[in-house]
Amino acid sequence: MHDFELHAPDSIHEAVEILAEHGGSTRVLAGGTALTTMVKQSLVRPDHIVSLHRVPGWSHVARLGPEINIGMLATHRAIETSPLIREHAPLLADTYAQVATVRIRSMATVGGGIAHGDPAQDPLPTLLALNARVRLLSATGERQVPVGDLFRDFFDTDIGPDELLIEVQVPAQPHDLEGVYLKFLPRSEDDYATVGVAALARVERGRFQEARVALGAVGPVPLRATAVEQALQGRKADAATVRKAAELVGDLVDPVDDARGSADYKRDMAVVFTRRALEQVAGIPR
Amino acid sequence: MTTEPRSVNVRLTVNGTPREAAVPVYRTLVDLLRYDLGLTGTKEACGVGVCGACTVVVNGNLTASCITLAFKADGATVETVEGMARDGELHPLQASFIEHGGFQCGACTPGQLVAAKALLDSNPEPTEDEVRRWMSGNLCRCTGYAQILDAIVKATAAREA
Ligand SMILES: Cc1cc2nc3c(=O)[nH]c(=O)nc-3n(C[C@H](O)[C@H](O)[C@H](O)COP(=O)(O)OP(=O)(O)OC[C@H]3O[C@@H](n4cnc5c(N)ncnc54)[C@H](O)[C@@H]3O)c2cc1C
Ligand code: FES
Ligand code: FES
């Protein structure tokens, strides 16, 4: 592994000062599951590493009015096991519980998982569908960005080299908004998804009052399938409507061939799993 | 320009004993344990977090020591397979792995044991399904897993008895 200058700030403000000073050749290290692996394999060669292991706090999971605030350093495992998340955003708990293995979930942080920007990561479609936002701090100030506006390309986000993702704000999932995250795993339990689909729906008097769909592992960025949502809005919640709406996903996705499936196969599976997810949240028997 | 790698001092408590080492900044925790502290029970196999051979517990959390930089463990409490036996007496899981053939080549075994112990420490009576899910991150290319599952399930039964 190559040499780098290590910075271990004691606060987020100290951290962003270091980022401001060293900028582009600097990487933040949180759980380290992605960054350590990339540095080991020489995929990235930062001159400076700003490790957050001495920053106290910022692993909170707290409810603030209609929102849940999650500190950047909360682990995937903490989200999976938090009673507060289970109560107010059960889809989030179910989704984080499906990431990798308990060992990786015990290390990986919520902030690192978003900043990594791998479109195959499970939490991203769910955060998109829940309309989550992130707080980005730099030495010059703070801004808030919807998770839906954060991703630009594979492993490329709108987070500047001088910015620290400090918190995720997730609107609570109303109790009558059913949610599911389906992770298609044709190989093994601990794998990345071949496709991942998050869906939320509220059905009243047999019609979709609200429907949200987002997908991961089907292109350079996780995507919100608004065309599908519009095709469901106000329509009868039956198998035919869902089938027709799910077909639209085929034109939205842009998957790549890899060991988890060919692009064509993933496109087909994106349709199938969108349909299944919607059937499940709308209570339509298969 | 310096050619010497930058070094950090890491003080940690390993299996209850305070230890200290000065290591290059890029030293991984598994290498610190094996090469700086001589604790070779922990193995590195895949090196990228996938297989679980390098599993240790850091501050109570299951950790892949192959993708953990050693400096992060400064001030931490680390538990490895060497800490499982007490006063020459094997941990019930270790005894159960022997009794039920939970290993063949043994390369994955320290990781299997540390992961299984972490499960039982947090959930003393797991269902078979909970054992399967928890252990899904510890790969074994020899046993076919049935014996490992058997050894863990029987160790919980033995503890209750
Ligand atoms: C073996 C293995 C299997 C995996 N399987 C899955 C899977 O099935 N599903 C899935 O969703 N994911 C999976 N992952 C990916 C995993 O979820 C990510 O590696 C993890 O979420 C990254 O979080 P971290 O805290 O470890 O980040 P780090 O590795 O510390 O950082 C990741 C990136 O984010 C940046 N960063 C970190 N924190 C911040 C911050 N606060 N502000 C700004 N930038 C920051 C870093 O500079 C780096 O570029 C797997 C990873 C491994 C190693
Ligand atoms: S060697 Fe660390 S997980 Fe495989
Ligand atoms: S006993 Fe050989 S890898 Fe598990």
Side-chain angles (χ1 to χ4, degrees):
Chain A
M1 229 191 286
H2 89 286
D3 200 13
F4 51 82
E5 188 172 335
L6 172 65
H7 306 266
D10 293 313
S11 71
I12 54 170
H13 298 286
E14 204 183 312
V16 294
E17 290 298 336
I18 299 164
L19 292 177
E21 188 177 340
H22 299 291
S25 60
T26 308
R27 284 291 186 118
V28 172
L29 182 87
T33 57
L35 187 63
T36 311
T37 308
M38 293 188 297
V39 172
K40 251 181 131 168
Q41 298 176 328
S42 297
L43 294 172
V44 295
R45 301 176 142 270
D47 295 329
H48 300 266
I49 283 185
V50 181
S51 176
L52 303 176
H53 68 289
R54 282 200 216 289
V55 173
W58 294 98
S59 57
H60 56 272
V61 175
R63 184 154 169 247
L64 212 81
E67 300 215 323
I68 297 159
N69 293 347
I70 302 171
M72 60 177 179
L73 296 178
T75 62
H76 286 41
R77 179 83 178 143
I79 304 306
E80 171 188 358
T81 56
S82 157
L84 192 135
I85 301 271
R86 173 64 52 203
E87 167 77 15
H88 298 289
L91 179 58
L92 212 52
D94 289 342
T95 305
Y96 276 94
Q98 292 183 59
V99 172
T101 61
V102 65
R103 177 180 61 256
I104 297 297
R105 293 196 297 279
S106 301
M107 303 170 69
T109 65
V110 168
I114 298 170
H116 187 41
D118 179 347
Q121 283 177 268
D122 302 297
L124 305 182
T126 292
L127 291 167
L128 242 65
L130 287 171
N131 296 324
R133 283 190 315 274
V134 295
R135 288 174 63 194
L136 302 176
L137 184 75
S138 73
T140 53
E142 184 188 319
R143 63 188 180 116
Q144 299 191 357
V145 181
V147 171
D149 295 341
L150 208 53
F151 303 104
R152 298 202 291 218
D153 205 343
F154 289 101
F155 304 98
D156 184 12
T157 72
D158 186 41
I159 305 170
D162 62 335
E163 286 182 312
L164 190 64
L165 190 170
I166 54 172
E167 192 175 65
V168 187
Q169 302 177 324
V170 188
Q173 178 186 344
H175 288 289
D176 58 353
L177 195 61
E178 283 295 325
V180 71
Y181 175 72
L182 293 186
K183 180 175 188 179
F184 179 38
L185 283 170
R187 305 200 309 172
S188 67
E189 158 108 3
D190 61 337
D191 201 4
Y192 282 93
T194 288
V195 303
V197 183
L200 290 151
R202 178 188 294 112
V203 175
E204 274 166 31
R205 289 182 296 279
R207 292 186 178 271
F208 281 103
Q209 291 307 315
E210 182 168 6
R212 303 186 204 159
V213 180
L215 294 98
V218 291
V221 296
L223 80 102
R224 181 87 181 247
T226 37
V228 177
E229 299 178 359
Q230 282 159 10
L232 294 168
Q233 184 64 42
R235 300 278 160 75
K236 229 169 120 185
D238 62 13
T241 309
V242 163
R243 177 174 296 272
K244 229 173 116 207
E247 293 290 341
L248 298 173
V249 157
D251 290 331
L252 304 176
V253 300
D254 183 18
V256 292
D257 295 317
D258 64 19
R260 293 180 185 86
S262 67
D264 286 342
Y265 179 64
K266 290 182 189 177
R267 186 174 297 110
D268 288 350
M269 290 305 109
V271 172
V272 170
F273 280 84
T274 299
R275 191 185 74 222
R276 289 185 188 171
L278 285 168
E279 286 170 346
Q280 194 168 323
V281 290
I284 298 166
R286 286 171 52 191
Chain B
M1 236 252 12
T2 62
T3 45
E4 282 289 295
R6 283 167 261 222
S7 157
V8 281
N9 216 33
V10 183
R11 286 172 208 231
L12 67 177
T13 303
V14 185
N15 302 324
T17 308
R19 305 291 299 260
E20 185 171 355
V23 300
V25 280
Y26 50 76
R27 179 76 93 227
T28 55
L29 180 57
V30 64
D31 284 349
L32 173 109
L33 291 169
R34 291 177 57 85
Y35 301 114
D36 298 294
L37 304 183
L39 295 168
T40 54
T42 307
K43 312 297 182 203
E44 176 161 12
C46 73
V48 291
V50 172
C51 75
C54 67
T55 306
V56 298
V57 172
V58 179
N59 291 336
N61 293 316
L62 222 49
T63 297
S65 60
C66 70
I67 51 170
T68 299
L69 289 166
F71 63 74
K72 284 190 71 186
D74 187 36
T77 298
V78 178
E79 296 160 57
T80 71
V81 69
E82 285 92 346
M84 284 181 70
R86 289 282 154 84
D87 307 322
E89 181 102 4
L90 290 181
H91 187 279
L93 276 165
Q94 292 172 306
S96 191
F97 267 61
I98 293 173
E99 189 181 344
H100 301 289
F103 56 92
Q104 289 175 28
C105 79
C108 72
T109 313
Q112 304 278 3
L113 286 167
V114 171
K117 178 173 182 293
L119 170 63
L120 300 194
D121 287 349
S122 65
N123 179 3
E125 291 178 41
T127 62
E128 187 175 317
D129 203 55
E130 285 171 333
V131 177
R132 280 177 186 274
R133 268 217 91 203
W134 184 278
M135 298 301 296
S136 70
N138 288 81
L139 306 187
C140 174
R141 52 194 289 184
C142 301
T143 62
Y145 299 103
Q147 298 92 324
I148 293 174
L149 183 66
D150 199 33
I152 297 170
V153 169
K154 297 221 165 100
T156 60
R159 288 208 321 185
E160 283 155 34

